[in-house]
Amino acid sequence: VVSTQRTTVHVGKMIHASAAIGFAQEAERYEKARPSYPDAAVLSLTAHASLRSTQPSTVLELGAGTGKFTRLLLPLLHPQSTFYATEPVQEMLAQLKSKLTLPEGMNFEASQATAEQLPFTEDMFDAVFCAQAFHWFANMTALNEIHRVLKLGGFLCLVWNERVVEGPYLTALEELIDSYYHDEPRNKTKSWQEVFRDPAANGLFGPLHHEAFAHEQLLENEEQLHNRILSTSAFARQSDEEKERVKHQLSELYNRFKSETGSHIFRIPYETHIYWIQRL
């Protein structure tokens, strides 16, 4: 039995300009520079979602990006499972398809679609996953769509890598990042949780559960630091001239760090936060 892979296009509601422009311009940089996720976090989330490698399941990933989380999740599923990945930005979806190796026998479909207009039937999925993405579409339209396509008792599973700010260098880095954010949705604010408290969400899902895991990214030179920060949506949409100014500031920070610490390894610590919530 061979794996099957198809691509369809279903783009509905307009996505945020920072995501539409930035991730389209920097999809390759995103794939190269963004951290992956700890294996323990992915294993734990699949267990909480009641997904087992011994039983086929039907799974959806929203905002799949370049497939960083997808590539960790697929091997944990039964090989006869069916997996749908959606991503609204075509350039990100192209990266996902180019990097993906499917388990033999697994059915896979990639769709260019938004969470607010999902091209799937009701009660279709055992679980819906969103890695580093839900804050972009934390609204009642998307939540109703997720509820519609989930089976009764199925799980919505959310994942974020969140930078841990400690010490002068990481503090300076975070201040630089914050200075470029304006109206972009951010996991950092936790405002995405408000949608579950919306009166319109009553009766859709059970309580939100949470677990956190330690993680880190080790950057070995200033170019890697440039790429990591410029892959962030607030920077990715900037002009080439502005990106050069950002690179200059990052180089100054990196060289000060290297001079004062004697190390060329710039460590960014993370907490990987996982959340799961059951459809009622």
Side-chain angles (χ1 to χ4, degrees), residues 25-55:
Q25 291 180 350
E26 297 290 3
E28 186 175 352
R29 194 193 301 267
Y30 187 106
E31 168 59 27
K32 179 167 60 176
R34 286 294 185 101
S36 186
Y37 302 89
D39 291 340
V42 185
L43 280 167
S44 181
L45 196 54
T46 56
H48 289 307
S50 300
L51 299 179
R52 296 174 177 83
S53 61
T54 56
Q55 181 177 343

Side-chain angles (χ1 to χ4, degrees), residues 58-248:
T58 304
V59 174
L60 170 64
E61 184 180 2
L62 301 176
T66 65
K68 283 185 169 289
F69 185 79
T70 318
R71 296 193 293 270
L72 298 176
L73 181 58
L74 287 178
L76 302 181
L77 304 178
H78 187 281
Q80 300 299 318
S81 294
T82 299
F83 194 98
Y84 294 81
T86 66
E87 166 55 44
V89 180
Q90 183 179 0
E91 291 82 356
M92 298 283 271
L93 196 61
Q95 287 287 322
L96 182 153
K97 292 170 60 183
S98 70
K99 305 293 182 183
L100 190 63
T101 301
L102 293 175
E104 185 176 352
M106 184 171 290
N107 292 312
F108 180 90
E109 181 174 339
S111 300
Q112 189 182 352
T114 60
E116 292 88 351
Q117 190 174 348
L118 296 173
F120 306 113
T121 58
E122 296 180 1
D123 307 320
M124 183 171 174
F125 296 103
D126 299 295
V128 173
F129 288 83
C130 312
Q132 216 75 23
F134 186 74
H135 55 283
W136 289 107
F137 46 84
N139 57 67
M140 280 307 307
T141 303
L143 195 63
N144 280 318
E145 276 290 87
I146 293 167
H147 181 271
R148 181 182 67 81
V149 301
L150 267 173
K151 296 176 182 178
L152 179 65
F155 286 87
L156 170 60
C157 303
L158 312 175
V159 190
W160 283 275
N161 284 325
E162 188 172 317
R163 288 182 300 275
V164 176
V165 181
E166 56 186 21
Y169 308 108
L170 292 169
T171 298
L173 179 63
E174 201 68 18
E175 288 174 351
L176 173 63
I177 293 170
D178 287 345
S179 71
Y180 276 81
Y181 273 91
H182 301 292
D183 67 334
E184 296 89 350
R186 302 182 72 182
N187 165 57
K188 182 178 180 178
T189 67
K190 298 296 184 287
S191 61
W192 59 266
Q193 296 184 14
E194 293 173 8
V195 71
F196 295 106
R197 296 189 285 267
D198 190 311
N202 289 344
L204 297 183
F205 292 89
L208 185 67
H209 302 277
H210 170 249
E211 196 172 1
F213 297 80
H215 193 33
E216 67 178 7
Q217 185 178 26
L218 303 178
L219 306 176
E220 298 183 358
N221 52 56
E222 61 186 282
E223 181 183 2
Q224 290 184 4
L225 181 60
H226 293 170
N227 287 332
R228 170 61 191 92
I229 302 309
L230 291 176
S231 74
T232 304
S233 59
F235 295 99
R237 67 175 297 188
Q238 301 297 325
S239 65
D240 289 343
E241 182 181 3
E242 189 60 34
K243 288 176 183 177
E244 287 303 315
R245 280 196 285 268
V246 173
K247 285 182 181 180
H248 179 72

